[in-house]
Amino acid sequence: MYENNYPNSYDDKNQSQSGSQNAGDVNYRQQSSDTYHYETGGSFSGGDGFHREEYRPGNNYKPKKEKKAGSGTGKKVAIGVLCGLCFGIFAGLGFQAVDTATDFLKGKAGITQNQDSEAAQEEKKEENGAADTTVKVENTQQVDSTQKVPTTVTDVTEVVKEVMPSVVSVNKKYIEKMSFWGQEYSQEGSGSGSGIIVGQNDTELLLVSNYHVVESPEELTVQFVDGSQAQAQIKGMDEDKDLAVIAVQLEDISSDTMGQISIAQMGNSDTLNLGEPVIAIGNALGYGQSVTTGVVSALDRPIAASTVQTNVQEDTEINTFIQTNAAINPGNSGGALLNMKGEVIGITSNKIGGGVVEGMGYAIPISDAQPIIEKLMTRETRLKADEDKKGYLGITGLDVASEYSQLYDAPRGVYVSSVTEGSGADKAGLVRGDIIIAIDDEEITSMTELRNYLDYCEAGSTVKLTIMQGSPVGYQSKEVEVTLSAQSSVQ
């Protein structure tokens, strides 16, 4: 027990009056100061005679803490700031964890995305020698552990800008003949196609096109990149290869046009690969030059050069072509199929394959066509003769079809059924039964081809005919020169 004495002026009158306490109450005495007795149980007795119960271990009572004035608001602000800071930290860690997991999953799946830098593009263009072929996007997706499939989007604007001046539109007017109830009628028709500028000599600009684009023209014109037009003439044709070379006189082309056109660069079709991107430029539907793109779908695609005219297919050479999914429409015939360097690797033809299916266009490989083009370029340009100056051979003839050629072992060509007396053919010794197979070393397989050639020959000019004459040992080849007659002399 602890005893503390505190001064106190408290005067208990009752105590003074009563005098003293009982003899047994020896633990309490009123003195000049109150005495407080603290016991070990946590209670104490005060001088006022009251017994007070205070905190004892084990009781549920908890003493209340005193609140300090003004401290509640500050604590709330501090707690709010601390919570916001903690939320930001945990959110940032969460986003970082998501990004890390995504990158990890992409790495496991083998998916990568790469964009070529400008320096890499320039280096690639210099190596390939391209005019300016910019690869915009190149994504590579790994299908499995060994195979990758690239997807490429190309920009061909610079290639087209470089090559377009070398491509022209070809327009033709012709006379279409028809027969109705034994009466022959004729009407004027028109057609359109494309051409490529392939060379120039001292007097002419030379262009290549398809044979079927320029055959049998009454009038032939070409339109250049600046919109100007000029007359063109046939220089040489190869029907089996569907190729023709036409010429425009330099004097008919203005200096401004000459400054804007260019000669196309020839490529090598033998080095093409399946899937290689290509560009087609031509006068589609006769509306003017247009551009389509695609890839090489097939190489060395074999297709017959001619169509079936009878129940027996003609015995013709099977040519091979480049197949592409770039759109090749009517009017594109004779146009250019280009690689990404802007080089001509094919001459497009809408006639091949026709319009039966979509996504299958064809082109004559330039490596096959170039030797023929160079040969046709050396021939003399033929100007169509005026009607009153046109020369006549003086025969009537029939086509030797393939079935008759096989049946009678006869050569293909024009069978001479009659010879006009006094005509150039009569004077040269042609007789009924002869078969004309060539004129001026150009192969002739039909009467139409023979007439088309003679349209460019004036009366008085000389042509060389290659004929096959029958003999007891079979047909024998013979060459004769015929001086063409005027129309008035053979009527």
Side-chain angles (χ1 to χ4, degrees), residues 58-168:
N59 292 348
N60 293 330
Y61 173 80
K62 293 183 180 179
K64 296 182 180 180
K65 296 182 179 180
E66 295 183 0
K67 295 183 180 181
K68 296 182 180 180
S71 62
T73 303
K75 285 184 178 180
K76 291 180 180 179
V77 173
I79 292 173
V81 172
L82 183 60
C83 291
L85 182 60
C86 292
F87 177 78
I89 293 173
F90 283 112
L93 291 175
F95 288 131
Q96 183 65 34
V98 171
D99 291 339
T100 303
T102 302
D103 294 339
F104 175 76
L105 292 176
K106 286 184 177 180
K108 294 293 287 183
I111 302 175
T112 59
Q113 289 186 336
N114 299 320
Q115 292 185 344
D116 293 340
S117 63
E118 295 295 332
Q121 293 175 8
E122 294 297 329
E123 181 178 355
K124 186 174 181 180
K125 286 187 286 185
E126 291 176 2
E127 290 177 357
N128 294 335
D132 187 6
T133 304
T134 305
V135 178
K136 291 298 183 185
V137 179
E138 188 174 36
N139 295 332
T140 302
Q141 294 188 349
Q142 186 172 353
V143 178
D144 52 32
S145 58
T146 60
Q147 183 181 4
K148 290 185 178 180
V149 180
T151 303
T152 305
V153 180
T154 57
D155 182 356
V156 299
T157 53
E158 293 300 325
V159 177
V160 172
K161 187 184 300 183
E162 186 74 18
V163 178
M164 189 69 80
S166 64
V167 182
V168 302

Side-chain angles (χ1 to χ4, degrees), residues 361-440:
Y362 296 92
I364 304 168
I366 197 62
S367 297
D368 296 341
Q370 197 161 4
I372 301 171
I373 294 172
E374 292 174 353
K375 180 181 177 181
L376 297 178
M377 288 170 64
T378 61
R379 292 185 179 177
E380 182 181 356
T381 302
R382 295 183 293 143
L383 302 177
K384 196 165 187 178
D386 294 335
E387 193 66 28
D388 57 347
K389 296 180 180 180
K390 188 178 296 184
Y392 290 87
L393 185 61
I395 67 162
T396 57
L398 299 172
D399 298 347
V400 180
S402 59
E403 62 268 28
Y404 296 114
S405 177
Q406 296 173 6
L407 182 62
Y408 298 106
D409 194 23
R412 292 284 311 278
V414 176
Y415 177 84
V416 178
S417 57
S418 66
V419 179
T420 303
E421 185 178 355
S423 65
D426 182 38
K427 294 176 182 179
L430 270 69
V431 296
R432 176 185 171 86
D434 290 344
I435 299 176
I436 302 172
I437 62 172
I439 181 170
D440 289 339

Side-chain angles (χ1 to χ4, degrees), residues 283-432:
N283 180 25
L285 302 181
Y287 295 152
Q289 302 297 359
S290 64
V291 179
T292 57
T293 60
V295 298
V296 175
S297 303
L299 295 169
D300 300 325
R301 183 70 77 193
I303 298 177
S306 59
T307 58
V308 178
Q309 295 181 344
T310 64
N311 291 331
V312 180
Q313 186 172 348
E314 295 183 359
D315 184 16
T316 57
E317 181 182 359
I318 301 297
N319 297 325
T320 57
F321 301 91
I322 301 169
Q323 180 183 325
T324 177
N325 65 337
I328 308 296
N329 295 297
N332 274 102
S333 293
L337 187 68
L338 309 163
N339 59 19
M340 291 296 102
K341 298 178 183 179
E343 298 171 338
V344 178
I345 46 91
I347 300 172
T348 56
S349 178
N350 180 68
K351 182 179 180 181
I352 305 170
V356 180
V357 294
E358 294 183 4
M360 294 177 65
Y362 296 92
I364 304 168
I366 197 62
S367 297
D368 296 341
Q370 197 161 4
I372 301 171
I373 294 172
E374 292 174 353
K375 180 181 177 181
L376 297 178
M377 288 170 64
T378 61
R379 292 185 179 177
E380 182 181 356
T381 302
R382 295 183 293 143
L383 302 177
K384 196 165 187 178
D386 294 335
E387 193 66 28
D388 57 347
K389 296 180 180 180
K390 188 178 296 184
Y392 290 87
L393 185 61
I395 67 162
T396 57
L398 299 172
D399 298 347
V400 180
S402 59
E403 62 268 28
Y404 296 114
S405 177
Q406 296 173 6
L407 182 62
Y408 298 106
D409 194 23
R412 292 284 311 278
V414 176
Y415 177 84
V416 178
S417 57
S418 66
V419 179
T420 303
E421 185 178 355
S423 65
D426 182 38
K427 294 176 182 179
L430 270 69
V431 296
R432 176 185 171 86

Side-chain angles (χ1 to χ4, degrees), residues 392 420-421 486-491:
Y392 290 87
T420 303
E421 185 178 355
Q487 185 177 10
S488 57
S489 64
V490 296
Q491 289 180 344

Side-chain angles (χ1 to χ4, degrees), residues 227-304:
S228 63
Q229 297 185 10
Q231 291 277 342
Q233 296 82 33
I234 300 292
K235 196 169 184 70
M237 297 187 293
D238 188 322
E239 182 181 9
D240 286 342
K241 297 295 184 182
D242 196 24
L243 291 171
V245 172
I246 60 178
V248 177
Q249 301 299 312
L250 294 179
E251 61 184 15
D252 294 336
I253 306 174
S254 67
S255 58
D256 289 341
T257 300
M258 288 297 296
Q260 297 186 49
I261 62 178
S262 62
I263 297 175
Q265 298 296 318
M266 299 293 110
N268 184 0
S269 58
D270 292 336
T271 61
L272 290 175
N273 297 306
L274 291 178
E276 183 174 336
V278 292
I279 308 166
I281 301 179
N283 180 25
L285 302 181
Y287 295 152
Q289 302 297 359
S290 64
V291 179
T292 57
T293 60
V295 298
V296 175
S297 303
L299 295 169
D300 300 325
R301 183 70 77 193
I303 298 177

